[in-house]
Amino acid sequence: MTWTTRQRSEGAGALAYCVEGRGPAVVLIHGVGLRAEAWNAVSPILAPDFTVYRIDMPGHGASPLGGAAKLSDYVARVLTFIHALDGPVCLAGHSMGAMIVVEVAAQAPEKVVAVAGLNAIYRRSAEAAAAVQSRAAALTHLTAPDPAPTLARWFGAAPSGATAEAAAACRSWLTQVDPDGYATAYRIFARHDGPSEKRLRRLQMPALFQTGADDPNSTPDMSQAMAAKAPFGQALTVPGAAHMMPMTHPDAMAEALHSCFTRRVQADAD
């Protein structure tokens, strides 16, 4: 099964991870409520040419929350993780993971040679900001959230086929996630409105911003706005995709990541 649990190791920064492949390092970071397995369909496509590290975000999967309370705490843990890897690193993050990787890349341009923000948010509308903040305020640190509203936003009311399998996997992860880890991460996600213009301007490396044409909260306009501010930015939109592109449209996502990361790796080799 595509979404079965994979073996983990413990990395620097107290971050659990799965790894496969060989070649230059690629680090993938999932979004709130998910885990490393959210990349199970993307990683094998990249693995022939890259060593792919899929980490569990703090408070998710096998990574302890460890006192993380601010976005900067998550960023610090990822910085520790990537600095323990040999050579340059390419980064990709989905949803809240996109927030993290853009900040990491801006802080460590000597280590990060390419970055991708996938289904990333940037300058939410007043209506969208109010909705996400309301959901965050309703969370408790004691019980796991009801996954039904989240799954409806991600996959629609009646997913079928492979999309239904992806939705079932997400339901399992959302049900099993540490409530404290989930609530902490979601409140951070709700508070932040995407990277600052200063951070985007500091991305002196290929920076891909990709989202789905049908994602109502991480819209194509957001990706285009971020790409326009990054010196080497590129925006791509996947037709027919919504928020869970790593699971519903892995081929399109992996192709874009491979192209972005390969161009930089080849440039470094020349």
Side-chain angles (χ1 to χ4, degrees):
M1 292 290 291
T2 302
W3 312 116
T4 54
T5 301
R6 303 301 167 86
Q7 182 178 353
R8 281 162 168 70
S9 301
E10 182 177 341
L15 293 174
Y17 68 94
C18 308
V19 63
E20 62 182 314
R22 58 184 301 171
V26 168
V27 176
L28 306 177
I29 306 177
H30 61 77
V32 178
L34 304 179
R35 51 191 294 148
E37 282 79 11
W39 299 102
N40 276 7
V42 172
S43 183
I45 304 174
L46 298 176
D49 299 307
F50 299 95
T51 302
V52 183
Y53 298 86
R54 294 172 285 145
I55 70 172
D56 287 329
M57 195 164 66
H60 293 66
S63 293
L65 185 58
K70 299 179 293 185
L71 182 63
S72 59
D73 298 325
Y74 292 70
V75 169
R77 298 264 291 272
V78 174
L79 282 167
T80 299
F81 184 90
I82 67 169
H83 280 299
L85 302 177
D86 293 332
V89 172
C90 300
L91 291 179
H94 172 247
S95 195
M96 181 174 170
M99 288 184 179
I100 295 170
V101 299
V102 170
E103 184 67 22
V104 169
Q107 291 191 31
E110 76 291 348
K111 184 70 173 179
V112 179
V113 295
V115 63
L118 310 168
N119 297 96
I121 63 96
Y122 184 69
R123 306 299 179 263
R124 294 182 180 100
S125 68
E127 181 182 6
V132 72
Q133 289 164 16
S134 176
R135 292 193 292 268
L139 293 173
T140 171
H141 289 260
L142 300 178
T143 58
D146 175 7
T150 299
L151 294 172
R153 290 194 304 273
W154 288 355
F155 297 103
S160 61
T163 301
E165 293 180 8
C170 285
R171 176 180 291 277
S172 176
W173 300 335
L174 289 166
T175 302
Q176 298 173 25
V177 70
D178 171 43
D180 194 22
Y182 182 89
T184 298
Y186 199 89
R187 287 172 181 167
I188 292 170
F189 177 71
R191 274 199 311 271
H192 286 266
D193 206 24
S196 68
E197 182 171 343
K198 179 179 179 181
R199 287 307 196 207
L200 292 167
R201 298 289 185 198
R202 290 185 63 180
L203 298 179
Q204 297 294 324
M205 70 283 290
L208 169 67
F209 296 94
Q210 184 184 36
T211 195
D214 300 332
D215 191 334
N217 296 312
S218 304
T219 66
D221 285 348
M222 291 178 177
S223 288
Q224 291 161 12
M226 287 184 283
K229 292 177 172 59
F232 303 99
Q234 178 187 20
L236 293 177
T237 300
V238 179
H243 192 64
M244 291 305 297
M245 288 197 312
M247 301 179 75
T248 62
H249 292 72
D251 291 340
M253 178 171 283
E255 180 182 359
L257 292 176
H258 193 284
S259 176
C260 177
F261 296 164
T262 300
R263 284 199 308 271
R264 181 53 197 255
V265 169
Q266 289 176 340
D268 286 348
D270 290 343

